[in-house]
Amino acid sequence: QVQLVESGGGLVQAGGSLRLSCAASGSIFSINAMGWYRQAPGKQRELVAGITRTDTTNYADSVKGRFTLSRGNAPNTVYLQMNSLKPDDTAVYYCNAHGRLIYKEYDSWGQGTQVTVSS
């Protein structure tokens, strides 16, 4: 499988911006899609944005037009640019890699990074 290392969370005022980074290592050739999920206190983890091997992206309705998911120069790195942040965006953000290795699908997760948006 793969290992994921995240960075870039923090505290920001409403209307501000943050950029999250996620770097994968290990069996990166097996990755079919990468993305970001978030989990706020008392809520279920939800998909924020994802990108496939062919660079097709999808976004949660709540972040469309504000967040942009992109790849870095290294194919195993993705960035989530978050603009016009709202207090409702406050959550722990987790990087995810979904892939297939030795005929078995897997999901790998990062350790999570806290994003706090103050009003």
Side-chain angles (χ1 to χ4, degrees):
Q1 298 191 3
V2 300
Q3 296 76 45
L4 303 171
V5 177
E6 305 148 339
S7 62
L11 173 64
V12 65
Q13 288 189 331
S17 298
L18 284 173
R19 190 176 82 155
L20 305 182
S21 302
C22 176
S25 61
S27 301
I28 60 173
F29 61 88
S30 68
I31 297 174
N32 290 324
M34 293 185 69
W36 287 92
Y37 287 70
R38 67 186 181 188
Q39 187 167 19
K43 294 188 177 181
Q44 288 188 332
R45 190 174 295 189
E46 62 175 358
L47 174 68
V48 177
I51 186 167
T52 68
R53 180 188 289 269
T54 56
D55 289 342
T56 299
T57 55
N58 65 294
Y59 298 90
D61 288 343
S62 59
V63 307
K64 283 180 181 176
R66 300 188 298 122
F67 290 12
T68 302
L69 183 61
S70 61
R71 293 192 184 278
N73 290 332
N76 55 314
T77 302
V78 294
Y79 301 102
L80 183 67
Q81 178 67 42
M82 305 186 293
N83 299 328
S84 302
L85 282 161
K86 305 174 181 179
D88 283 350
D89 295 317
T90 296
V92 178
Y93 284 68
Y94 297 91
C95 183
N96 168 267
H98 180 81
R100 189 176 180 87
L101 190 61
I102 314 177
Y103 308 112
K104 186 175 180 181
E105 293 192 359
Y106 68 84
D107 278 288
S108 292
W109 297 92
Q111 77 280 7
T113 185
Q114 178 70 47
V115 171
T116 303
V117 184
S118 63
S119 57

